[in-house]
Amino acid sequence: MAAPPLILASRSPRRRELLAGVGLRFTLASPDIDERVRRGESPRAYVVRLAREKARAVHAHDGATVLAADTSVVVDGKILGKPRDRADAARMIKLLSGRAHDVFTGVAVRRGKKLVATAARTRVTFRALTPREIAWYVRLPEPYDKAGGYAIQGAAGGFITKISGSASNVIGLPLHTALKLLARVGFPLPWSAP
């Protein structure tokens, strides 16, 4: 018997790779929502709200289940988005250099009228970087479509000295959390098939 349809509400190639890596088959949707931070909104509340809004924005045909996520890098309580340009990427990497920061990913799953959501948090520590290393890194294409301006699965992996929590969260989808939410709404996981 075929698994019910699953829709990944994301443009992120990293989320696609992570989800496919655990054997799930899915189609893609690209919800368009307002991603501005609301006044007084905590980073955790922000990513959960965006994940919920993305899950609600996708038309779930034929009883499909929708999985949505949103990731933010947070340092000094401030959310770092995707860099606008090279100078912005350099500013972000310099801010992360030699210190720890948090990565929050909100995950939401909607099946029928049921919507469940939560957030995962991972603490990441960068070693101190030289101005030359930062200048080299921001010339790469890697930083520009990533929250916080870096990718642990790429060249920036060489900057990281410690990760406390889910590594897949830092890539863009905390797999343990996503699979737990899918199971909560009754979506059959690959290993639960007879």
PDB file of all heavy atoms in Angstrom, residues 103-131:
ATOM      1  N   VAL A 103      20.969  28.104  17.111  1.00  0.00           N
ATOM      2  CA  VAL A 103      20.202  27.899  15.881  1.00  0.00           C
ATOM      3  C   VAL A 103      18.854  27.339  16.304  1.00  0.00           C
ATOM      4  O   VAL A 103      18.784  26.310  16.984  1.00  0.00           O
ATOM      5  CB  VAL A 103      20.916  26.929  14.908  1.00  0.00           C
ATOM      6  CG1 VAL A 103      20.061  26.701  13.670  1.00  0.00           C
ATOM      7  CG2 VAL A 103      22.292  27.472  14.526  1.00  0.00           C
ATOM      8  N   PHE A 104      17.786  28.038  15.937  1.00  0.00           N
ATOM      9  CA  PHE A 104      16.421  27.597  16.218  1.00  0.00           C
ATOM     10  C   PHE A 104      15.742  27.214  14.904  1.00  0.00           C
ATOM     11  O   PHE A 104      15.841  27.959  13.925  1.00  0.00           O
ATOM     12  CB  PHE A 104      15.600  28.724  16.853  1.00  0.00           C
ATOM     13  CG  PHE A 104      15.960  29.042  18.268  1.00  0.00           C
ATOM     14  CD1 PHE A 104      16.850  30.061  18.550  1.00  0.00           C
ATOM     15  CD2 PHE A 104      15.403  28.340  19.319  1.00  0.00           C
ATOM     16  CE1 PHE A 104      17.184  30.386  19.859  1.00  0.00           C
ATOM     17  CE2 PHE A 104      15.729  28.646  20.635  1.00  0.00           C
ATOM     18  CZ  PHE A 104      16.617  29.665  20.897  1.00  0.00           C
ATOM     19  N   THR A 105      15.070  26.077  14.900  1.00  0.00           N
ATOM     20  CA  THR A 105      14.235  25.714  13.764  1.00  0.00           C
ATOM     21  C   THR A 105      12.849  25.383  14.278  1.00  0.00           C
ATOM     22  O   THR A 105      12.688  24.527  15.151  1.00  0.00           O
ATOM     23  CB  THR A 105      14.791  24.515  12.976  1.00  0.00           C
ATOM     24  OG1 THR A 105      16.090  24.850  12.475  1.00  0.00           O
ATOM     25  CG2 THR A 105      13.896  24.156  11.802  1.00  0.00           C
ATOM     26  N   GLY A 106      11.873  26.101  13.749  1.00  0.00           N
ATOM     27  CA  GLY A 106      10.480  25.781  14.019  1.00  0.00           C
ATOM     28  C   GLY A 106      10.036  24.740  13.011  1.00  0.00           C
ATOM     29  O   GLY A 106      10.376  24.825  11.831  1.00  0.00           O
ATOM     30  N   VAL A 107       9.308  23.736  13.475  1.00  0.00           N
ATOM     31  CA  VAL A 107       8.789  22.684  12.599  1.00  0.00           C
ATOM     32  C   VAL A 107       7.292  22.572  12.848  1.00  0.00           C
ATOM     33  O   VAL A 107       6.853  22.543  14.007  1.00  0.00           O
ATOM     34  CB  VAL A 107       9.459  21.320  12.881  1.00  0.00           C
ATOM     35  CG1 VAL A 107       8.937  20.251  11.931  1.00  0.00           C
ATOM     36  CG2 VAL A 107      10.970  21.426  12.782  1.00  0.00           C
ATOM     37  N   ALA A 108       6.515  22.538  11.781  1.00  0.00           N
ATOM     38  CA  ALA A 108       5.065  22.382  11.885  1.00  0.00           C
ATOM     39  C   ALA A 108       4.618  21.290  10.923  1.00  0.00           C
ATOM     40  O   ALA A 108       5.139  21.176   9.812  1.00  0.00           O
ATOM     41  CB  ALA A 108       4.356  23.692  11.553  1.00  0.00           C
ATOM     42  N   VAL A 109       3.652  20.492  11.372  1.00  0.00           N
ATOM     43  CA  VAL A 109       3.061  19.444  10.541  1.00  0.00           C
ATOM     44  C   VAL A 109       1.545  19.610  10.598  1.00  0.00           C
ATOM     45  O   VAL A 109       0.965  19.723  11.684  1.00  0.00           O
ATOM     46  CB  VAL A 109       3.471  18.035  11.026  1.00  0.00           C
ATOM     47  CG1 VAL A 109       2.734  16.958  10.243  1.00  0.00           C
ATOM     48  CG2 VAL A 109       4.979  17.848  10.906  1.00  0.00           C
ATOM     49  N   ARG A 110       0.927  19.626   9.417  1.00  0.00           N
ATOM     50  CA  ARG A 110      -0.530  19.761   9.326  1.00  0.00           C
ATOM     51  C   ARG A 110      -1.096  18.580   8.555  1.00  0.00           C
ATOM     52  O   ARG A 110      -0.629  18.270   7.456  1.00  0.00           O
ATOM     53  CB  ARG A 110      -0.899  21.066   8.626  1.00  0.00           C
ATOM     54  CG  ARG A 110      -2.414  21.271   8.503  1.00  0.00           C
ATOM     55  CD  ARG A 110      -2.740  22.673   8.014  1.00  0.00           C
ATOM     56  NE  ARG A 110      -2.257  22.945   6.692  1.00  0.00           N
ATOM     57  CZ  ARG A 110      -2.951  22.732   5.571  1.00  0.00           C
ATOM     58  NH1 ARG A 110      -4.145  22.202   5.612  1.00  0.00           N
ATOM     59  NH2 ARG A 110      -2.420  23.042   4.402  1.00  0.00           N
ATOM     60  N   ARG A 111      -2.079  17.937   9.153  1.00  0.00           N
ATOM     61  CA  ARG A 111      -2.790  16.842   8.492  1.00  0.00           C
ATOM     62  C   ARG A 111      -4.263  17.018   8.791  1.00  0.00           C
ATOM     63  O   ARG A 111      -4.677  16.928   9.952  1.00  0.00           O
ATOM     64  CB  ARG A 111      -2.296  15.496   8.987  1.00  0.00           C
ATOM     65  CG  ARG A 111      -2.869  14.336   8.191  1.00  0.00           C
ATOM     66  CD  ARG A 111      -2.237  13.039   8.617  1.00  0.00           C
ATOM     67  NE  ARG A 111      -2.552  12.013   7.638  1.00  0.00           N
ATOM     68  CZ  ARG A 111      -2.365  10.728   7.855  1.00  0.00           C
ATOM     69  NH1 ARG A 111      -1.837  10.308   8.989  1.00  0.00           N
ATOM     70  NH2 ARG A 111      -2.691   9.859   6.933  1.00  0.00           N
ATOM     71  N   GLY A 112      -5.031  17.321   7.765  1.00  0.00           N
ATOM     72  CA  GLY A 112      -6.436  17.652   7.975  1.00  0.00           C
ATOM     73  C   GLY A 112      -6.534  18.914   8.803  1.00  0.00           C
ATOM     74  O   GLY A 112      -5.868  19.904   8.543  1.00  0.00           O
ATOM     75  N   LYS A 113      -7.335  18.875   9.857  1.00  0.00           N
ATOM     76  CA  LYS A 113      -7.501  20.043  10.732  1.00  0.00           C
ATOM     77  C   LYS A 113      -6.467  20.070  11.856  1.00  0.00           C
ATOM     78  O   LYS A 113      -6.395  21.017  12.621  1.00  0.00           O
ATOM     79  CB  LYS A 113      -8.905  20.047  11.331  1.00  0.00           C
ATOM     80  CG  LYS A 113      -9.994  20.275  10.297  1.00  0.00           C
ATOM     81  CD  LYS A 113     -11.337  20.400  10.967  1.00  0.00           C
ATOM     82  CE  LYS A 113     -12.448  20.468   9.961  1.00  0.00           C
ATOM     83  NZ  LYS A 113     -12.592  21.703   9.279  1.00  0.00           N
ATOM     84  N   LYS A 114      -5.674  19.022  11.958  1.00  0.00           N
ATOM     85  CA  LYS A 114      -4.687  18.917  13.041  1.00  0.00           C
ATOM     86  C   LYS A 114      -3.375  19.574  12.619  1.00  0.00           C
ATOM     87  O   LYS A 114      -2.832  19.272  11.561  1.00  0.00           O
ATOM     88  CB  LYS A 114      -4.463  17.453  13.392  1.00  0.00           C
ATOM     89  CG  LYS A 114      -3.639  17.247  14.638  1.00  0.00           C
ATOM     90  CD  LYS A 114      -3.661  15.801  15.082  1.00  0.00           C
ATOM     91  CE  LYS A 114      -3.039  15.664  16.444  1.00  0.00           C
ATOM     92  NZ  LYS A 114      -3.129  14.318  16.963  1.00  0.00           N
ATOM     93  N   LEU A 115      -2.876  20.478  13.473  1.00  0.00           N
ATOM     94  CA  LEU A 115      -1.587  21.123  13.226  1.00  0.00           C
ATOM     95  C   LEU A 115      -0.792  21.060  14.525  1.00  0.00           C
ATOM     96  O   LEU A 115      -1.280  21.482  15.572  1.00  0.00           O
ATOM     97  CB  LEU A 115      -1.777  22.573  12.770  1.00  0.00           C
ATOM     98  CG  LEU A 115      -0.500  23.250  12.281  1.00  0.00           C
ATOM     99  CD1 LEU A 115      -0.808  24.247  11.187  1.00  0.00           C
ATOM    100  CD2 LEU A 115       0.253  23.930  13.389  1.00  0.00           C
ATOM    101  N   VAL A 116       0.396  20.492  14.455  1.00  0.00           N
ATOM    102  CA  VAL A 116       1.294  20.434  15.608  1.00  0.00           C
ATOM    103  C   VAL A 116       2.585  21.137  15.241  1.00  0.00           C
ATOM    104  O   VAL A 116       3.021  21.097  14.089  1.00  0.00           O
ATOM    105  CB  VAL A 116       1.561  18.979  16.069  1.00  0.00           C
ATOM    106  CG1 VAL A 116       0.285  18.346  16.616  1.00  0.00           C
ATOM    107  CG2 VAL A 116       2.135  18.130  14.951  1.00  0.00           C
ATOM    108  N   ALA A 117       3.187  21.803  16.221  1.00  0.00           N
ATOM    109  CA  ALA A 117       4.416  22.556  15.940  1.00  0.00           C
ATOM    110  C   ALA A 117       5.265  22.653  17.193  1.00  0.00           C
ATOM    111  O   ALA A 117       4.759  22.640  18.317  1.00  0.00           O
ATOM    112  CB  ALA A 117       4.080  23.959  15.432  1.00  0.00           C
ATOM    113  N   THR A 118       6.561  22.763  16.979  1.00  0.00           N
ATOM    114  CA  THR A 118       7.512  22.960  18.071  1.00  0.00           C
ATOM    115  C   THR A 118       8.790  23.546  17.476  1.00  0.00           C
ATOM    116  O   THR A 118       8.867  23.800  16.275  1.00  0.00           O
ATOM    117  CB  THR A 118       7.794  21.623  18.815  1.00  0.00           C
ATOM    118  OG1 THR A 118       8.507  21.921  20.020  1.00  0.00           O
ATOM    119  CG2 THR A 118       8.576  20.647  17.969  1.00  0.00           C
ATOM    120  N   ALA A 119       9.774  23.743  18.334  1.00  0.00           N
ATOM    121  CA  ALA A 119      11.071  24.256  17.866  1.00  0.00           C
ATOM    122  C   ALA A 119      12.200  23.425  18.458  1.00  0.00           C
ATOM    123  O   ALA A 119      12.082  22.898  19.558  1.00  0.00           O
ATOM    124  CB  ALA A 119      11.251  25.717  18.263  1.00  0.00           C
ATOM    125  N   ALA A 120      13.282  23.311  17.705  1.00  0.00           N
ATOM    126  CA  ALA A 120      14.516  22.677  18.176  1.00  0.00           C
ATOM    127  C   ALA A 120      15.572  23.776  18.310  1.00  0.00           C
ATOM    128  O   ALA A 120      15.576  24.746  17.547  1.00  0.00           O
ATOM    129  CB  ALA A 120      14.979  21.617  17.191  1.00  0.00           C
ATOM    130  N   ARG A 121      16.457  23.588  19.286  1.00  0.00           N
ATOM    131  CA  ARG A 121      17.536  24.554  19.502  1.00  0.00           C
ATOM    132  C   ARG A 121      18.864  23.803  19.552  1.00  0.00           C
ATOM    133  O   ARG A 121      18.988  22.784  20.219  1.00  0.00           O
ATOM    134  CB  ARG A 121      17.328  25.263  20.831  1.00  0.00           C
ATOM    135  CG  ARG A 121      18.463  26.187  21.207  1.00  0.00           C
ATOM    136  CD  ARG A 121      18.244  26.731  22.591  1.00  0.00           C
ATOM    137  NE  ARG A 121      19.378  27.527  23.025  1.00  0.00           N
ATOM    138  CZ  ARG A 121      19.639  27.793  24.278  1.00  0.00           C
ATOM    139  NH1 ARG A 121      18.861  27.348  25.240  1.00  0.00           N
ATOM    140  NH2 ARG A 121      20.683  28.520  24.587  1.00  0.00           N
ATOM    141  N   THR A 122      19.852  24.321  18.834  1.00  0.00           N
ATOM    142  CA  THR A 122      21.195  23.760  18.836  1.00  0.00           C
ATOM    143  C   THR A 122      22.176  24.890  19.115  1.00  0.00           C
ATOM    144  O   THR A 122      22.040  25.988  18.577  1.00  0.00           O
ATOM    145  CB  THR A 122      21.521  23.099  17.475  1.00  0.00           C
ATOM    146  OG1 THR A 122      20.544  22.097  17.207  1.00  0.00           O
ATOM    147  CG2 THR A 122      22.907  22.478  17.469  1.00  0.00           C
ATOM    148  N   ARG A 123      23.154  24.602  19.957  1.00  0.00           N
ATOM    149  CA  ARG A 123      24.198  25.588  20.287  1.00  0.00           C
ATOM    150  C   ARG A 123      25.426  25.261  19.450  1.00  0.00           C
ATOM    151  O   ARG A 123      25.901  24.116  19.441  1.00  0.00           O
ATOM    152  CB  ARG A 123      24.522  25.481  21.778  1.00  0.00           C
ATOM    153  CG  ARG A 123      25.370  26.588  22.292  1.00  0.00           C
ATOM    154  CD  ARG A 123      24.489  27.639  22.927  1.00  0.00           C
ATOM    155  NE  ARG A 123      25.308  28.603  23.667  1.00  0.00           N
ATOM    156  CZ  ARG A 123      25.109  29.896  23.582  1.00  0.00           C
ATOM    157  NH1 ARG A 123      24.155  30.380  22.837  1.00  0.00           N
ATOM    158  NH2 ARG A 123      25.864  30.717  24.267  1.00  0.00           N
ATOM    159  N   VAL A 124      25.938  26.247  18.743  1.00  0.00           N
ATOM    160  CA  VAL A 124      27.077  26.071  17.845  1.00  0.00           C
ATOM    161  C   VAL A 124      28.182  27.032  18.257  1.00  0.00           C
ATOM    162  O   VAL A 124      27.919  28.208  18.517  1.00  0.00           O
ATOM    163  CB  VAL A 124      26.679  26.350  16.368  1.00  0.00           C
ATOM    164  CG1 VAL A 124      27.873  26.190  15.433  1.00  0.00           C
ATOM    165  CG2 VAL A 124      25.524  25.457  15.934  1.00  0.00           C
ATOM    166  N   THR A 125      29.413  26.523  18.310  1.00  0.00           N
ATOM    167  CA  THR A 125      30.548  27.374  18.672  1.00  0.00           C
ATOM    168  C   THR A 125      31.524  27.459  17.501  1.00  0.00           C
ATOM    169  O   THR A 125      31.930  26.436  16.947  1.00  0.00           O
ATOM    170  CB  THR A 125      31.284  26.813  19.914  1.00  0.00           C
ATOM    171  OG1 THR A 125      30.335  26.683  20.979  1.00  0.00           O
ATOM    172  CG2 THR A 125      32.420  27.732  20.343  1.00  0.00           C
ATOM    173  N   PHE A 126      31.875  28.684  17.125  1.00  0.00           N
ATOM    174  CA  PHE A 126      32.887  28.944  16.095  1.00  0.00           C
ATOM    175  C   PHE A 126      34.221  29.214  16.780  1.00  0.00           C
ATOM    176  O   PHE A 126      34.268  29.845  17.836  1.00  0.00           O
ATOM    177  CB  PHE A 126      32.528  30.217  15.307  1.00  0.00           C
ATOM    178  CG  PHE A 126      31.671  30.006  14.096  1.00  0.00           C
ATOM    179  CD1 PHE A 126      30.661  29.069  14.073  1.00  0.00           C
ATOM    180  CD2 PHE A 126      31.871  30.787  12.966  1.00  0.00           C
ATOM    181  CE1 PHE A 126      29.863  28.899  12.944  1.00  0.00           C
ATOM    182  CE2 PHE A 126      31.091  30.631  11.836  1.00  0.00           C
ATOM    183  CZ  PHE A 126      30.084  29.682  11.829  1.00  0.00           C
ATOM    184  N   ARG A 127      35.295  28.782  16.140  1.00  0.00           N
ATOM    185  CA  ARG A 127      36.614  29.208  16.600  1.00  0.00           C
ATOM    186  C   ARG A 127      36.827  30.650  16.155  1.00  0.00           C
ATOM    187  O   ARG A 127      36.072  31.176  15.315  1.00  0.00           O
ATOM    188  CB  ARG A 127      37.700  28.294  16.031  1.00  0.00           C
ATOM    189  CG  ARG A 127      37.871  28.348  14.531  1.00  0.00           C
ATOM    190  CD  ARG A 127      39.040  27.468  14.089  1.00  0.00           C
ATOM    191  NE  ARG A 127      39.106  27.339  12.647  1.00  0.00           N
ATOM    192  CZ  ARG A 127      39.588  28.261  11.819  1.00  0.00           C
ATOM    193  NH1 ARG A 127      40.054  29.408  12.278  1.00  0.00           N
ATOM    194  NH2 ARG A 127      39.625  28.031  10.511  1.00  0.00           N
ATOM    195  N   ALA A 128      37.839  31.312  16.714  1.00  0.00           N
ATOM    196  CA  ALA A 128      38.156  32.680  16.297  1.00  0.00           C
ATOM    197  C   ALA A 128      38.685  32.649  14.872  1.00  0.00           C
ATOM    198  O   ALA A 128      39.552  31.844  14.537  1.00  0.00           O
ATOM    199  CB  ALA A 128      39.182  33.293  17.241  1.00  0.00           C
ATOM    200  N   LEU A 129      38.154  33.502  14.033  1.00  0.00           N
ATOM    201  CA  LEU A 129      38.537  33.553  12.618  1.00  0.00           C
ATOM    202  C   LEU A 129      39.372  34.798  12.341  1.00  0.00           C
ATOM    203  O   LEU A 129      39.141  35.858  12.925  1.00  0.00           O
ATOM    204  CB  LEU A 129      37.289  33.568  11.731  1.00  0.00           C
ATOM    205  CG  LEU A 129      36.329  32.398  11.912  1.00  0.00           C
ATOM    206  CD1 LEU A 129      35.060  32.613  11.102  1.00  0.00           C
ATOM    207  CD2 LEU A 129      36.992  31.091  11.512  1.00  0.00           C
ATOM    208  N   THR A 130      40.309  34.656  11.425  1.00  0.00           N
ATOM    209  CA  THR A 130      41.121  35.810  11.025  1.00  0.00           C
ATOM    210  C   THR A 130      40.367  36.608   9.969  1.00  0.00           C
ATOM    211  O   THR A 130      39.478  36.070   9.279  1.00  0.00           O
ATOM    212  CB  THR A 130      42.459  35.349  10.426  1.00  0.00           C
ATOM    213  OG1 THR A 130      42.194  34.660   9.191  1.00  0.00           O
ATOM    214  CG2 THR A 130      43.230  34.443  11.393  1.00  0.00           C
ATOM    215  N   PRO A 131      40.714  37.879   9.790  1.00  0.00           N
ATOM    216  CA  PRO A 131      40.092  38.671   8.728  1.00  0.00           C
ATOM    217  C   PRO A 131      40.276  38.014   7.346  1.00  0.00           C
ATOM    218  O   PRO A 131      39.372  38.061   6.508  1.00  0.00           O
ATOM    219  CB  PRO A 131      40.810  40.020   8.804  1.00  0.00           C
ATOM    220  CG  PRO A 131      41.232  40.120  10.241  1.00  0.00           C
ATOM    221  CD  PRO A 131      41.583  38.712  10.649  1.00  0.00           C
TER     222      PRO A 131
END
